[in-house]
Amino acid sequence: MKRIMDIPGARSVTMVDGASGLAIAAAGQHDLVDQHEDAAATTDVVRTVLGCSALATGRDGDDLTEIIVCGSRGFHLLNLVDGDFDGRLFVHLLCDVDTGNLAMARYQLRAILAEFAEDGYGR
């Protein structure tokens, strides 16, 4: 979590168990909702997006790995860690629009999560 919070502009991060919708770990400032409300709400977003056939880009089912939501004050990155969604972990990173860079945040978060998955935690 520390490495993710070191991404420039990071305001908060929550690691979520996609099966239960519960927060596994959290860091940073969760201003509007606590990490548990964050986990439940973002799990609903991930499930809705994964269930939307219009957003599927592959013929073999789910190949989505990332959801990006942009607002006037910041952007949200929802990154799904490798594995089946029922047991999949995902990370919700909130970055400040003034101090963060969407492209760099995506790049750095992917690199951190790839190491995480290589260590055997993503499956």
Side-chain angles (χ1 to χ4, degrees):
M1 301 306 275
K2 165 95 172 83
R3 287 184 58 204
I4 295 173
M5 284 303 298
D6 287 341
I7 294 173
R11 291 187 4 211
S12 66
V13 61
T14 306
M15 181 170 284
V16 181
D17 172 8
S20 66
L22 297 175
I24 296 172
Q29 295 179 332
H30 290 80
D31 295 331
L32 299 177
V33 296
D34 71 17
Q35 67 267 23
H36 303 294
E37 291 173 295
D38 174 0
T42 54
T43 298
D44 288 343
V45 170
V46 170
R47 287 181 179 158
T48 299
V49 169
L50 289 176
C52 180
S53 59
L55 297 175
T57 56
R59 294 183 182 170
D60 296 331
D62 171 31
D63 63 347
L64 294 173
T65 59
E66 177 181 50
I67 301 166
I68 302 169
V69 179
C70 298
S72 61
R73 290 203 221 159
F75 52 90
H76 302 259
L77 298 177
L78 301 172
N79 280 72
L80 287 69
V81 179
D82 289 338
D84 296 328
F85 183 68
D86 286 344
R88 180 179 285 182
L89 300 176
F90 69 90
V91 172
H92 173 205
L93 172 63
L94 172 60
C95 288
D96 184 78
V97 74
D98 294 326
T99 58
N101 177 299
L102 178 58
M104 285 304 298
R106 289 180 69 208
Y107 176 79
Q108 291 175 319
L109 183 57
R110 284 182 189 173
I112 293 166
L113 294 178
E115 288 178 30
F116 180 76
E118 284 176 14
D119 290 340
Y121 297 107
R123 297 205 183 262

